[in-house]
């Protein structure tokens, strides 16, 4: 049985790693795509380390995931924000509305909930 995810929980948002853009600097930079709950496509560019399952040299395209925090749940739609990826001049985290049933649990804690030593 899948654990029940709620507001404030960390989660894995499924996506597709479309291609490796460059492997310099290490780790490489990939193009990742996903479609939100409203059918809108989104593209993200980031280091392979920012995405799940790209530790080894995968064949592209391939499944991956984006670590997110569930900001809100409204029925079967969850609003999630990315942990490591940001954009714009203020480095705002990326926010998506996605179907709640596609999100998976993660064993990692969102950065905001990690204790600082």
């Amino acid at each position: 049985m899948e654990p029940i995810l709620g507001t404030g929980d960390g989660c894995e948002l499924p996506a597709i790693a479309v291609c490796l853009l460059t492997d310099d600097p290490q780790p490489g930079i990939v193009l990742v795509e996903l479609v939100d709950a409203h059918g809108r496509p989104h593209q993200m560019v980031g280091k392979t380390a920012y995405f799940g399952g790209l530790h080894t040299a995968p064949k592209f395209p391939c499944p991956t995931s984006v670590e997110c925090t569930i900001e809100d749940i409204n029925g079967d739609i969850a609003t999630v924000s990315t942990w490591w990826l940001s954009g714009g001049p203020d480095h705002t985290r990326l926010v998506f509305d996605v179907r709640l049933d596609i999100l998976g649990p993660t064993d990692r804690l969102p950065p905001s909930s990690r204790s600082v030593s």
Side-chain angles (χ1 to χ4, degrees):
M1 182 175 187
E2 287 286 321
I4 297 174
L5 295 170
T7 302
D9 287 344
C11 63
E12 298 281 340
L13 172 61
I16 299 293
V18 176
C19 64
L20 181 68
L21 298 174
T22 181
D23 53 4
D24 185 34
Q26 289 290 324
I29 307 293
V30 293
L31 172 64
V32 171
E33 295 180 341
L34 64 91
V35 176
D36 69 16
H38 309 290
R40 294 181 295 236
H42 298 274
Q43 293 183 326
M44 296 168 274
V45 173
K47 295 180 180 182
T48 56
Y50 294 165
F51 303 100
L54 300 179
H55 316 298
T56 59
K59 289 191 174 203
F60 293 95
C62 65
T64 189
S65 63
V66 182
E67 293 175 324
C68 295
T69 299
I70 299 174
E71 301 293 340
D72 188 37
I73 297 175
N74 186 3
D76 61 348
I77 303 295
T79 300
V80 298
S81 64
T82 57
W83 290 2
W84 309 113
L85 298 169
S86 61
D90 296 327
H91 300 289
T92 304
R93 294 189 299 172
L94 304 177
V95 177
F96 307 102
D97 286 338
V98 297
R99 289 188 356 257
L100 182 60
D101 65 348
I102 69 167
L103 299 175
T106 183
D107 58 354
R108 298 181 65 190
L109 294 173
S112 61
S113 65
R114 294 182 188 151
S115 61
V116 177
S117 305

